[in-house]
Amino acid sequence: MASPLFQPLYQQIKGLITKKLISGEWGPGEAIPSEMEFAAKFGVSQGTVRKAIDELASENIVVRRQGKGTFVATHNEEKVKLRFLRLVAADGSKELLDNQLLSFVRSKAPANVARMLDIKPGCAVIDIKRLLLFSNKPLILDHIILPALTFKGITSEQIDEFNGSMYRMYETQLGIRMVRAEERLSAVGADIEIAAQLNLKSGSPLLRIERVSYTYDDKPMEWRLGYCLTDDHHYLNHLE
Protein backbone atom coordinates (compact mmCIF):
# COMPACT_ATOMS: atom_id res chain seq x y z
CA MET A 1 0.00 0.00 0.00
CA ALA A 2 1.29 3.44 -0.89
CA SER A 3 2.50 5.69 1.91
CA PRO A 4 0.07 8.51 2.85
CA LEU A 5 2.85 10.90 1.76
CA PHE A 6 2.32 9.74 -1.81
CA GLN A 7 -1.48 9.64 -1.70
CA PRO A 8 -3.43 12.15 -3.78
CA LEU A 9 -4.42 15.14 -1.67
CA TYR A 10 -8.12 14.28 -1.75
CA GLN A 11 -7.31 10.81 -0.39
CA GLN A 12 -5.44 12.39 2.49
CA ILE A 13 -8.45 14.60 3.23
CA LYS A 14 -10.72 11.55 3.02
CA GLY A 15 -8.47 9.84 5.57
CA LEU A 16 -8.62 12.82 7.93
CA ILE A 17 -12.43 12.92 7.74
CA THR A 18 -12.61 9.16 8.29
CA LYS A 19 -10.47 9.47 11.44
CA LYS A 20 -12.93 12.01 12.79
CA LEU A 21 -15.79 9.62 12.05
CA ILE A 22 -13.95 6.81 13.86
CA SER A 23 -13.41 9.05 16.88
CA GLY A 24 -17.15 9.80 16.98
CA GLU A 25 -16.87 13.52 16.29
CA TRP A 26 -20.10 13.19 14.30
CA GLY A 27 -22.52 10.39 15.09
CA PRO A 28 -24.72 8.37 12.69
CA GLY A 29 -27.33 10.61 11.09
CA GLU A 30 -25.57 13.85 12.11
CA ALA A 31 -24.50 16.54 9.64
CA ILE A 32 -20.79 16.96 8.96
CA PRO A 33 -19.21 20.38 8.22
CA SER A 34 -19.66 21.91 4.78
CA GLU A 35 -17.08 21.64 2.01
CA MET A 36 -16.18 25.29 2.62
CA GLU A 37 -15.61 24.65 6.33
CA PHE A 38 -13.45 21.60 5.65
CA ALA A 39 -11.48 23.49 3.00
CA ALA A 40 -10.68 26.27 5.48
CA LYS A 41 -9.86 23.80 8.26
CA PHE A 42 -7.49 21.67 6.16
CA GLY A 43 -6.11 24.49 4.00
CA VAL A 44 -7.15 22.94 0.67
CA SER A 45 -9.54 23.82 -2.14
CA GLN A 46 -13.25 23.06 -2.04
CA GLY A 47 -12.75 20.89 -5.12
CA THR A 48 -10.34 18.67 -3.20
CA VAL A 49 -12.79 18.35 -0.30
CA ARG A 50 -15.64 17.65 -2.72
CA LYS A 51 -13.71 14.80 -4.30
CA ALA A 52 -12.97 13.31 -0.87
CA ILE A 53 -16.61 13.52 0.20
CA ASP A 54 -17.80 12.15 -3.16
CA GLU A 55 -15.72 9.04 -2.50
CA LEU A 56 -17.07 8.70 1.05
CA ALA A 57 -20.59 9.03 -0.36
CA SER A 58 -19.94 6.38 -3.03
CA GLU A 59 -18.91 4.02 -0.20
CA ASN A 60 -22.15 4.80 1.73
CA ILE A 61 -20.16 6.28 4.61
CA VAL A 62 -21.86 9.66 4.22
CA VAL A 63 -25.07 10.69 2.46
CA ARG A 64 -25.56 13.92 0.49
CA ARG A 65 -28.99 15.55 0.75
CA GLN A 66 -29.80 18.22 -1.78
CA GLY A 67 -30.17 21.59 -0.11
CA LYS A 68 -29.55 20.18 3.38
CA GLY A 69 -25.91 19.13 3.49
CA THR A 70 -23.96 15.93 4.04
CA PHE A 71 -24.76 13.49 6.82
CA VAL A 72 -23.13 10.45 8.41
CA ALA A 73 -24.89 7.40 6.95
CA THR A 74 -26.87 5.29 9.39
CA HIS A 75 -28.67 1.93 9.60
CA ASN A 76 -31.31 3.65 11.74
CA GLU A 77 -33.38 5.18 8.94
CA GLU A 78 -36.39 3.35 7.58
CA LYS A 79 -35.22 3.33 3.95
CA VAL A 80 -31.72 2.00 4.69
CA LYS A 81 -31.99 -0.05 7.88
CA LEU A 82 -32.18 -3.29 5.86
CA ARG A 83 -29.45 -2.27 3.41
CA PHE A 84 -27.55 -5.56 3.78
CA LEU A 85 -30.68 -7.73 3.51
CA ARG A 86 -31.14 -8.42 -0.22
CA LEU A 87 -33.81 -11.13 -0.19
CA VAL A 88 -37.12 -9.78 -1.50
CA ALA A 89 -40.47 -11.27 -2.50
CA ALA A 90 -40.56 -12.27 -6.16
CA ASP A 91 -43.79 -10.30 -6.66
CA GLY A 92 -42.26 -7.19 -5.07
CA SER A 93 -44.70 -7.10 -2.15
CA LYS A 94 -43.71 -5.57 1.20
CA GLU A 95 -43.48 -8.07 4.03
CA LEU A 96 -43.58 -8.05 7.81
CA LEU A 97 -40.13 -9.09 9.06
CA ASP A 98 -39.56 -10.86 12.34
CA ASN A 99 -36.83 -12.97 13.89
CA GLN A 100 -36.41 -15.64 16.54
CA LEU A 101 -33.24 -16.08 18.56
CA LEU A 102 -32.31 -19.76 18.53
CA SER A 103 -29.03 -19.71 20.45
CA PHE A 104 -26.51 -17.34 22.01
CA VAL A 105 -23.25 -18.82 23.33
CA ARG A 106 -19.73 -17.68 24.08
CA SER A 107 -17.27 -19.82 22.20
CA LYS A 108 -13.85 -19.90 20.52
CA ALA A 109 -13.24 -18.70 16.98
CA PRO A 110 -12.83 -21.46 14.37
CA ALA A 111 -9.72 -20.98 12.24
CA ASN A 112 -11.61 -20.04 9.05
CA VAL A 113 -13.77 -17.42 10.80
CA ALA A 114 -10.80 -16.08 12.80
CA ARG A 115 -8.95 -15.49 9.54
CA MET A 116 -11.84 -13.49 8.08
CA LEU A 117 -12.29 -11.46 11.28
CA ASP A 118 -8.54 -10.86 11.55
CA ILE A 119 -8.34 -12.38 15.03
CA LYS A 120 -6.38 -15.35 16.39
CA PRO A 121 -7.92 -18.84 16.15
CA GLY A 122 -9.42 -19.75 19.50
CA CYS A 123 -10.11 -16.13 20.48
CA ALA A 124 -13.32 -15.58 22.42
CA VAL A 125 -16.33 -14.98 20.20
CA ILE A 126 -20.07 -14.67 20.54
CA ASP A 127 -21.91 -17.28 18.48
CA ILE A 128 -25.50 -16.45 17.55
CA LYS A 129 -28.10 -18.39 15.58
CA ARG A 130 -31.44 -16.91 14.67
CA LEU A 131 -34.34 -17.47 12.32
CA LEU A 132 -35.66 -14.68 10.09
CA LEU A 133 -39.34 -14.82 9.19
CA PHE A 134 -40.95 -12.98 6.29
CA SER A 135 -44.70 -12.59 6.90
CA ASN A 136 -44.48 -15.38 9.51
CA LYS A 137 -42.74 -17.79 7.13
CA PRO A 138 -39.22 -18.99 8.11
CA LEU A 139 -37.00 -17.84 5.27
CA ILE A 140 -33.42 -17.38 6.50
CA LEU A 141 -31.36 -19.29 9.05
CA ASP A 142 -28.58 -16.97 10.22
CA HIS A 143 -25.35 -17.99 11.95
CA ILE A 144 -23.45 -14.94 13.26
CA ILE A 145 -20.04 -14.79 14.93
CA LEU A 146 -18.77 -11.62 16.63
CA PRO A 147 -15.42 -10.92 18.35
CA ALA A 148 -16.26 -11.03 22.07
CA LEU A 149 -13.79 -8.30 23.03
CA THR A 150 -15.50 -5.71 20.83
CA PHE A 151 -19.06 -6.90 21.55
CA LYS A 152 -18.61 -7.61 25.26
CA GLY A 153 -21.72 -5.60 26.14
CA ILE A 154 -24.12 -7.60 23.97
CA THR A 155 -26.63 -9.99 25.58
CA SER A 156 -29.13 -12.54 24.33
CA GLU A 157 -31.93 -10.54 25.97
CA GLN A 158 -30.84 -7.47 24.04
CA ILE A 159 -31.04 -9.32 20.72
CA ASP A 160 -34.34 -10.95 21.60
CA GLU A 161 -35.96 -7.70 22.71
CA PHE A 162 -34.62 -5.59 19.85
CA ASN A 163 -36.25 -7.79 17.19
CA GLY A 164 -34.91 -5.82 14.22
CA SER A 165 -31.84 -5.33 12.08
CA MET A 166 -28.71 -6.47 13.94
CA TYR A 167 -26.74 -3.69 12.21
CA ARG A 168 -29.17 -1.14 13.56
CA MET A 169 -28.73 -2.60 17.04
CA TYR A 170 -24.92 -2.58 16.77
CA GLU A 171 -25.09 1.09 15.83
CA THR A 172 -27.71 2.43 18.23
CA GLN A 173 -26.95 0.34 21.31
CA LEU A 174 -23.26 -0.54 21.02
CA GLY A 175 -21.87 2.34 18.96
CA ILE A 176 -20.48 -0.04 16.31
CA ARG A 177 -21.35 0.87 12.72
CA MET A 178 -20.94 -1.44 9.75
CA VAL A 179 -20.21 0.56 6.61
CA ARG A 180 -19.80 -2.19 4.03
CA ALA A 181 -19.97 -5.95 3.54
CA GLU A 182 -18.48 -8.61 1.28
CA GLU A 183 -20.56 -11.64 0.33
CA ARG A 184 -19.99 -15.03 -1.25
CA LEU A 185 -23.02 -16.78 -2.70
CA SER A 186 -23.47 -20.45 -3.56
CA ALA A 187 -26.28 -22.97 -4.09
CA VAL A 188 -26.55 -25.81 -1.56
CA GLY A 189 -28.94 -28.49 -0.37
CA ALA A 190 -30.44 -28.25 3.13
CA ASP A 191 -28.96 -30.66 5.64
CA ILE A 192 -31.18 -32.25 8.30
CA GLU A 193 -30.68 -29.49 10.91
CA ILE A 194 -31.25 -26.61 8.49
CA ALA A 195 -34.24 -28.35 6.89
CA ALA A 196 -35.87 -28.75 10.30
CA GLN A 197 -35.43 -25.06 11.16
CA LEU A 198 -36.84 -23.89 7.81
CA ASN A 199 -39.63 -26.51 7.65
CA LEU A 200 -38.16 -28.12 4.52
CA LYS A 201 -37.32 -31.55 3.25
CA SER A 202 -33.68 -32.54 3.59
CA GLY A 203 -31.82 -31.68 0.38
CA SER A 204 -34.14 -28.80 -0.57
CA PRO A 205 -32.29 -26.12 -2.58
CA LEU A 206 -31.09 -23.06 -0.65
CA LEU A 207 -29.02 -19.97 -1.32
CA ARG A 208 -25.97 -19.90 0.97
CA ILE A 209 -24.66 -16.40 1.70
CA GLU A 210 -21.40 -15.95 3.60
CA ARG A 211 -20.84 -12.34 4.63
CA VAL A 212 -18.11 -10.38 6.37
CA SER A 213 -19.14 -6.89 7.51
CA TYR A 214 -16.67 -4.08 8.06
CA THR A 215 -16.59 -0.92 10.13
CA TYR A 216 -14.46 2.16 9.40
CA ASP A 217 -10.91 1.64 8.10
CA ASP A 218 -11.97 -1.73 6.65
CA LYS A 219 -11.89 -3.48 10.02
CA PRO A 220 -13.84 -6.80 9.83
CA MET A 221 -16.31 -6.98 12.68
CA GLU A 222 -18.95 -9.60 11.89
CA TRP A 223 -19.00 -12.98 10.15
CA ARG A 224 -22.39 -14.23 9.06
CA LEU A 225 -23.62 -17.32 7.25
CA GLY A 226 -27.20 -17.29 5.97
CA TYR A 227 -29.18 -20.14 4.44
CA CYS A 228 -32.02 -18.65 2.41
CA LEU A 229 -35.14 -20.19 0.95
CA THR A 230 -35.75 -18.74 -2.51
CA ASP A 231 -38.77 -20.58 -3.90
CA ASP A 232 -40.82 -17.36 -3.92
CA HIS A 233 -38.05 -14.86 -3.12
CA HIS A 234 -34.92 -13.74 -4.89
CA TYR A 235 -31.66 -11.99 -4.13
CA LEU A 236 -31.79 -8.40 -5.40
CA ASN A 237 -28.67 -6.33 -5.98
CA HIS A 238 -28.32 -2.87 -7.54
CA LEU A 239 -25.17 -2.48 -9.62
CA GLU A 240 -23.83 0.99 -10.39
Side-chain angles (χ1 to χ4, degrees), residues 1-19 42 44-45 47-56 58-59 61 217-218:
M1 183 179 294
S3 164
L5 293 175
F6 297 99
Q7 284 184 323
L9 186 55
Y10 82 91
Q11 286 282 358
Q12 296 178 46
I13 300 304
K14 176 188 174 186
L16 291 171
I17 296 172
T18 301
K19 285 181 181 178
F42 297 133
V44 297
S45 70
T48 297
V49 173
R50 185 174 301 115
K51 196 169 181 181
I53 293 178
D54 282 345
E55 196 158 294
L56 289 168
S58 72
E59 295 170 1
I61 293 174
D217 271 359
D218 270 352

Coordinates of all heavy atoms in Angstrom, one line a residue, residues 1-19 42 44-45 47-56 58-59 61 217-218:
M1 N 0.8 -1.2 0.0 CA 0.0 0.0 0.0 C 0.9 1.2 0.0 O 1.9 1.3 0.7 CB -0.9 0.0 1.2 CG -1.9 1.1 1.3 SD -3.0 1.1 2.7 CE -3.9 -0.4 2.3
A2 N 0.5 2.2 -0.8 CA 1.3 3.4 -0.9 C 1.3 4.2 0.4 O 0.3 4.2 1.2 CB 0.7 4.3 -2.0
S3 N 2.4 4.9 0.7 CA 2.5 5.7 1.9 C 1.6 6.9 1.8 O 1.4 7.4 0.7 CB 3.9 6.2 2.1 OG 4.0 7.3 3.0
P4 N 0.9 7.3 2.9 CA 0.1 8.5 2.8 C 0.8 9.7 2.2 O 0.1 10.6 1.7 CB -0.3 8.7 4.3 CG -0.2 7.4 5.0 CD 1.0 6.7 4.2
L5 N 2.1 9.8 2.3 CA 2.9 10.9 1.8 C 2.7 11.0 0.2 O 2.9 12.0 -0.4 CB 4.3 10.8 2.1 CG 4.7 11.0 3.6 CD1 6.1 10.8 3.9 CD2 4.3 12.4 4.1
F6 N 2.4 9.8 -0.4 CA 2.3 9.7 -1.8 C 0.9 9.6 -2.3 O 0.6 9.4 -3.4 CB 3.2 8.6 -2.3 CG 4.6 8.7 -2.1 CD1 5.2 8.1 -1.0 CD2 5.4 9.6 -2.8 CE1 6.6 8.3 -0.7 CE2 6.8 9.7 -2.6 CZ 7.4 9.1 -1.5
Q7 N -0.1 9.7 -1.3 CA -1.5 9.6 -1.7 C -1.9 11.0 -2.3 O -1.4 12.0 -2.0 CB -2.4 9.4 -0.5 CG -2.3 8.0 0.1 CD -3.3 7.9 1.2 OE1 -3.4 8.8 2.0 NE2 -4.0 6.7 1.3
P8 N -2.9 10.9 -3.3 CA -3.4 12.1 -3.8 C -4.0 13.0 -2.6 O -4.4 12.4 -1.6 CB -4.5 11.7 -4.7 CG -4.2 10.3 -5.1 CD -3.4 9.7 -3.9
L9 N -4.0 14.3 -2.8 CA -4.4 15.1 -1.7 C -5.8 14.8 -1.2 O -6.1 14.8 0.0 CB -4.3 16.6 -2.1 CG -4.6 17.7 -1.0 CD1 -3.7 17.4 0.2 CD2 -4.4 19.1 -1.6
Y10 N -6.7 14.6 -2.2 CA -8.1 14.3 -1.7 C -8.2 13.0 -0.9 O -9.1 12.9 0.0 CB -9.1 14.2 -3.0 CG -9.1 12.9 -3.7 CD1 -10.0 11.9 -3.4 CD2 -8.2 12.7 -4.7 CE1 -10.0 10.7 -4.0 CE2 -8.2 11.5 -5.4 CZ -9.1 10.5 -5.1 OH -9.1 9.3 -5.7
Q11 N -7.3 12.0 -1.2 CA -7.3 10.8 -0.4 C -6.8 11.1 1.0 O -7.3 10.5 2.0 CB -6.4 9.8 -1.0 CG -7.0 9.1 -2.3 CD -8.0 8.0 -2.0 OE1 -8.2 7.7 -0.8 NE2 -8.6 7.4 -3.0
Q12 N -5.9 12.0 1.2 CA -5.4 12.4 2.5 C -6.6 13.1 3.3 O -6.7 12.8 4.5 CB -4.2 13.3 2.4 CG -3.0 12.7 1.8 CD -1.8 13.6 1.6 OE1 -1.5 14.4 2.6 NE2 -1.2 13.6 0.5
I13 N -7.3 13.9 2.6 CA -8.5 14.6 3.2 C -9.5 13.6 3.6 O -10.1 13.6 4.7 CB -9.1 15.7 2.3 CG1 -8.0 16.8 2.0 CG2 -10.3 16.3 3.0 CD1 -7.4 17.4 3.2
K14 N -9.8 12.6 2.7 CA -10.7 11.6 3.0 C -10.3 10.8 4.3 O -11.1 10.5 5.2 CB -10.8 10.6 1.8 CG -11.7 9.4 2.1 CD -11.6 8.3 1.0 CE -12.4 7.1 1.3 NZ -12.1 6.0 0.3
G15 N -9.0 10.5 4.4 CA -8.5 9.8 5.6 C -8.7 10.6 6.8 O -9.0 10.1 7.9
L16 N -8.5 12.0 6.8 CA -8.6 12.8 7.9 C -10.1 12.9 8.4 O -10.4 12.8 9.6 CB -8.1 14.2 7.6 CG -6.6 14.4 7.4 CD1 -6.3 15.8 6.9 CD2 -5.9 14.1 8.7
I17 N -11.0 12.9 7.4 CA -12.4 12.9 7.7 C -12.8 11.6 8.3 O -13.6 11.5 9.3 CB -13.3 13.2 6.5 CG1 -13.0 14.7 6.0 CG2 -14.8 13.1 6.8 CD1 -13.6 15.0 4.7
T18 N -12.3 10.5 7.8 CA -12.6 9.2 8.3 C -12.1 9.0 9.7 O -12.8 8.4 10.6 CB -12.0 8.1 7.4 OG1 -12.5 8.2 6.1 CG2 -12.3 6.7 7.9
K19 N -11.0 9.5 10.1 CA -10.5 9.5 11.4 C -11.4 10.2 12.4 O -11.6 9.7 13.5 CB -9.1 10.1 11.5 CG -8.0 9.2 10.9 CD -6.6 9.8 11.1 CE -5.5 8.9 10.5 NZ -4.2 9.6 10.5
F42 N -8.6 22.5 6.6 CA -7.5 21.7 6.2 C -6.6 22.5 5.2 O -5.5 21.9 4.8 CB -8.0 20.4 5.4 CG -8.7 19.5 6.3 CD1 -10.0 18.9 5.9 CD2 -8.3 19.1 7.6 CE1 -10.7 18.0 6.7 CE2 -9.0 18.2 8.4 CZ -10.2 17.7 7.9
V44 N -7.1 23.5 2.0 CA -7.1 22.9 0.7 C -8.3 23.6 -0.1 O -9.1 24.3 0.5 CB -7.3 21.4 0.7 CG1 -6.1 20.8 1.3 CG2 -8.6 21.0 1.3
S45 N -8.4 23.3 -1.4 CA -9.5 23.8 -2.1 C -10.8 23.1 -1.9 O -10.8 21.9 -1.4 CB -9.2 23.7 -3.6 OG -9.2 22.4 -4.1
G47 N -12.7 22.0 -4.2 CA -12.8 20.9 -5.1 C -12.1 19.6 -4.6 O -12.6 18.5 -4.8
T48 N -11.0 19.8 -3.8 CA -10.3 18.7 -3.2 C -11.2 18.0 -2.1 O -11.4 16.8 -2.1 CB -9.0 19.1 -2.6 OG1 -8.2 19.6 -3.6 CG2 -8.3 18.0 -1.8
V49 N -11.9 18.9 -1.3 CA -12.8 18.4 -0.3 C -14.0 17.6 -1.0 O -14.4 16.6 -0.5 CB -13.3 19.5 0.6 CG1 -14.4 19.0 1.6 CG2 -12.2 20.1 1.4
R50 N -14.5 18.2 -2.0 CA -15.6 17.7 -2.7 C -15.3 16.3 -3.2 O -16.1 15.3 -3.1 CB -16.1 18.5 -3.9 CG -17.4 18.1 -4.6 CD -17.8 19.0 -5.6 NE -18.1 20.3 -5.0 CZ -17.5 21.5 -5.3 NH1 -16.5 21.4 -6.2 NH2 -17.8 22.6 -4.7
K51 N -14.1 16.1 -3.8 CA -13.7 14.8 -4.3 C -13.6 13.8 -3.2 O -14.0 12.6 -3.3 CB -12.4 14.9 -5.0 CG -12.1 13.8 -5.9 CD -10.9 14.1 -6.8 CE -10.6 12.9 -7.8 NZ -9.4 13.2 -8.6
A52 N -13.1 14.2 -2.0 CA -13.0 13.3 -0.9 C -14.3 12.9 -0.4 O -14.6 11.7 -0.1 CB -12.2 14.0 0.3
I53 N -15.3 13.8 -0.3 CA -16.6 13.5 0.2 C -17.4 12.7 -0.8 O -18.2 11.8 -0.5 CB -17.4 14.8 0.6 CG1 -16.7 15.4 1.8 CG2 -18.8 14.5 0.9 CD1 -17.3 16.8 2.2
D54 N -17.2 13.0 -2.1 CA -17.8 12.2 -3.2 C -17.4 10.7 -3.0 O -18.3 9.8 -3.1 CB -17.4 12.6 -4.6 CG -18.1 13.9 -5.0 OD1 -19.1 14.2 -4.4 OD2 -17.6 14.5 -6.0
E55 N -16.2 10.4 -2.7 CA -15.7 9.0 -2.5 C -16.3 8.4 -1.2 O -16.8 7.3 -1.3 CB -14.2 9.0 -2.4 CG -13.7 7.6 -2.7 CD -12.2 7.6 -3.1 OE1 -11.9 8.1 -4.2 OE2 -11.4 7.1 -2.3
L56 N -16.4 9.2 -0.2 CA -17.1 8.7 1.1 C -18.5 8.4 0.8 O -19.1 7.4 1.3 CB -16.9 9.7 2.2 CG -15.5 9.9 2.8 CD1 -15.5 11.1 3.7 CD2 -15.1 8.6 3.5
S58 N -19.8 7.6 -2.2 CA -19.9 6.4 -3.0 C -19.8 5.1 -2.2 O -20.2 4.0 -2.6 CB -18.9 6.4 -4.2 OG -17.6 6.2 -3.6
E59 N -19.1 5.2 -1.1 CA -18.9 4.0 -0.2 C -20.0 3.9 0.9 O -19.9 3.1 1.8 CB -17.5 4.1 0.4 CG -16.4 4.0 -0.6 CD -15.0 4.3 0.0 OE1 -15.0 4.6 1.3 OE2 -14.0 4.3 -0.7
I61 N -20.6 5.9 3.3 CA -20.2 6.3 4.6 C -20.8 7.6 5.0 O -21.2 7.8 6.2 CB -18.6 6.4 4.6 CG1 -18.0 5.0 4.5 CG2 -18.1 7.1 5.9 CD1 -16.5 5.0 4.4
D217 N -12.3 2.1 8.3 CA -10.9 1.6 8.1 C -10.8 0.2 7.7 O -9.8 -0.5 8.0 CB -10.0 1.9 9.3 CG -9.4 3.3 9.3 OD1 -9.6 4.0 8.3 OD2 -8.6 3.6 10.2
D218 N -11.9 -0.4 7.1 CA -12.0 -1.7 6.6 C -11.6 -2.8 7.7 O -11.0 -3.8 7.5 CB -11.0 -1.9 5.4 CG -11.8 -1.6 4.1 OD1 -13.0 -1.5 4.2 OD2 -11.1 -1.6 3.1

